[in-house]
Amino acid sequence: MAQTFSADSHDTAALSQRIEKRWALLMVSIIGLLVAVMIFTGLHWAMMPPSRVETIDPSTLHLSGEFVESNLGSAVEADGSVTVRVIGQQYSFTPQCLVVPAKTPIRFRVTSADVIHGMLITGTNINSMVEPGYISTFKTEFKQAGDHLMPCHEYCGAGHEAMWANVKVVDKDAFSKMAVNTRRLTCDL
Ligand code: CUA
């Protein structure tokens, strides 16, 4: 009787080990499949994690450095591309009106002076978080002239729904003329 019991428990142990091995194999296969999907989509769509993180002290934005008020707006670079610097704060963007040329490589650099905001430009796929302490950067190009709205899309407090800016895309030539006399362009009144 005792022997039978011992044989039974041996069988049970072997069985549970087999089942455990099967489950472990299934889990490893699922992880392997997910990693394979990540590698495939990464290569297929040339997607990459952000290559670098730029940080900035939100409490001194207005005092010195890249985001002082006189440096905000659109700047023409030596290679003809345009860099647009914007600050978001409760409850507005500075500048309130951005002016950029069409058919020109444009790089946005945006940060927040207080809490997390968001920005999207209507009619385009531009959509980014705007976080205090970090500089959000992305490149884009507007195909044609036109007016767009740029609302904040992260709930940032009581005045959230009133937080938005205008984006005016103008012809390249018109922009060049405007840029002759001005180091930083905006269409703020
Ligand atoms: Cu800023 Cu919502």
Side-chain angles (χ1 to χ4, degrees):
M1 193 66 193
Q3 216 163 9
T4 316
F5 176 75
S6 153
D8 272 358
S9 85
H10 181 76
D11 282 356
T12 313
L15 180 68
S16 66
Q17 208 167 30
R18 270 208 310 280
I19 293 173
E20 254 176 59
K21 260 190 202 160
R22 242 177 259 162
W23 276 109
L25 192 68
L26 180 67
M27 289 307 130
V28 169
S29 312
I30 290 173
I31 291 168
L33 178 71
L34 291 176
V35 170
V37 166
M38 278 164 64
I39 292 171
F40 172 76
T41 52
L43 294 175
H44 186 61
W45 287 313
M47 285 199 313
M48 271 159 258
S51 56
R52 62 192 176 136
V53 173
E54 283 185 81
T55 56
I56 191 163
D57 180 356
S59 64
T60 57
L61 287 182
H62 57 298
L63 298 177
S64 64
E66 186 183 344
F67 289 90
V68 291
E69 193 157 4
S70 59
N71 202 38
L72 300 177
S74 302
V76 181
E77 304 294 345
D79 63 0
S81 69
V82 169
T83 303
V84 185
R85 294 185 179 84
V86 182
I87 289 181
Q89 66 256 303
Q90 288 168 317
Y91 296 101
S92 64
F93 289 102
T94 310
Q96 264 292 276
C97 183
L98 308 177
V99 59
V100 291
K103 301 187 178 77
T104 306
I106 293 174
R107 191 167 56 122
F108 275 85
R109 291 178 63 76
V110 190
T111 191
S112 166
D114 40 42
V115 301
I116 294 176
H117 300 278
M119 55 166 283
L120 63 82
I121 300 184
T122 53
T124 72
N125 65 352
I126 295 168
N127 185 325
S128 177
M129 302 273 289
V130 179
E131 294 169 77
Y134 297 91
I135 302 174
S136 306
T137 66
F138 51 90
K139 290 177 180 161
T140 188
E141 187 163 330
F142 293 91
K143 297 273 175 280
Q144 56 196 28
D147 291 345
H148 303 265
L149 287 177
M150 187 177 97
C152 174
H153 65 63
E154 285 292 333
Y155 181 74
C156 52
H160 162 70
E161 84 264 13
M163 179 171 174
W164 49 272
N166 290 295
V167 179
K168 267 183 191 303
V169 183
V170 299
D171 286 331
K172 215 171 171 170
D173 291 345
F175 187 86
S176 303
K177 276 183 201 139
M178 292 163 80
V180 171
N181 304 316
T182 322
R183 204 175 66 89
R184 297 289 178 262
L185 279 107
T186 73
C187 38
D188 279 352
L189 294 172

